[in-house]
Amino acid sequence: MNKPTRSLELIVWGGLALVMVALFGAYAVSRFAANRNALPMLGNVSDFALTNQFGRVVTRADLLGQVWVADIIFTRCPGPCATMSKVMRELQGALPRNEPIQLVSLTADPEFDTPEVLKKYGEGLGAAPGHWQFLTGKKLEVYRLATHGLLLAVDEVKADERTSPEDLFVHSTLFVAVDKQGRIRGSFDGTEPSSRRKILEVIRALLKEKQP
């Protein structure tokens, strides 16, 4: 092989090597960016069976394949519940009805908040049937889902510790985003005005995720 041919061969192979390095670098950067921007896995929602405002049983399996946002409130709440429910109502108005999305509000006061009470409460908020569910049931089961399943703190205030007749329960003001596989992927302060935008962004991202 003469020297010009040998030099040309080295140039060609060198160029191919540079192209391969560039392609690998671009792939690595894209993978790093994707992992960096990936939503965290905060836990798995445990199995549950509670009753919604229409008297129908709702389970974890019923919500699989859907993206959902959950919070915990109660209808006699004198504190942040009104603000939280307002944010939920705004989310309902901003979300497309033709996508697999659910809004879920648990009650911290299941003994008072029967399906009938929750139905009236939901109607007052303009809750769309089939899109925004209010769940009640046995107190132990509701609290188990809230604390262990959704990582939302809730407790009843002892009678001798209440500062007023309305001081019945303490509960989290967080909103939790759950993906189609029943995994918690984000939590947001439900009393913070900027949370609405953040929740919508997370919902859109979760809708785009492909299920395994």
Side-chain angles (χ1 to χ4, degrees), residues 160-199:
D160 59 352
E161 296 178 358
R162 294 173 184 169
T163 57
S164 71
E166 293 80 25
D167 186 22
L168 301 172
F169 302 91
V170 290
H171 60 88
S172 173
T173 59
L174 295 177
F175 282 23
V176 174
V178 182
D179 68 16
K180 297 176 184 179
Q181 299 178 63
R183 303 174 302 185
I184 300 171
R185 304 296 297 280
S187 63
F188 313 86
D189 185 349
T191 63
E192 176 61 43
S194 64
S195 290
R196 178 179 173 274
R197 175 184 56 80
K198 295 175 183 177
I199 295 169

Side-chain angles (χ1 to χ4, degrees), residues 27-106:
Y27 172 78
V29 169
S30 66
R31 291 292 295 175
F32 175 78
N35 290 334
R36 183 183 60 187
N37 296 326
L39 295 171
M41 304 285 186
L42 303 178
N44 287 292
V45 178
S46 52
D47 290 333
F48 65 89
L50 297 175
T51 304
N52 71 9
Q53 70 267 40
F54 303 108
R56 293 194 289 268
V57 174
V58 177
T59 67
R60 180 181 185 273
D62 292 327
L63 296 174
L64 290 177
Q66 302 183 75
V67 174
W68 46 293
V69 177
D71 70 348
I72 185 163
I73 56 161
F74 63 105
T75 62
R76 297 189 288 175
C77 176
C81 299
T83 300
M84 295 168 67
S85 293
K86 179 182 177 182
V87 172
M88 275 289 201
R89 182 175 61 194
E90 291 172 349
L91 288 174
Q92 176 183 256
L95 292 168
R97 296 288 177 87
N98 60 342
E99 294 283 3
I101 304 168
Q102 286 283 320
L103 303 178
V104 178
S105 292
L106 307 183

Side-chain angles (χ1 to χ4, degrees), residues 118-177:
L118 290 174
K119 184 173 183 290
K120 184 177 180 180
Y121 182 78
E123 288 172 347
L125 291 167
H131 292 280
W132 186 356
Q133 305 202 60
F134 296 83
L135 301 185
T136 187
K138 293 182 179 179
K139 183 178 177 181
L140 181 63
E141 295 176 0
V142 174
Y143 280 29
R144 182 185 295 119
L145 172 59
T147 58
H148 298 296
L150 295 168
L151 309 180
L152 298 173
V154 59
D155 200 7
E156 184 172 2
V157 179
K158 295 179 181 179
D160 59 352
E161 296 178 358
R162 294 173 184 169
T163 57
S164 71
E166 293 80 25
D167 186 22
L168 301 172
F169 302 91
V170 290
H171 60 88
S172 173
T173 59
L174 295 177
F175 282 23
V176 174

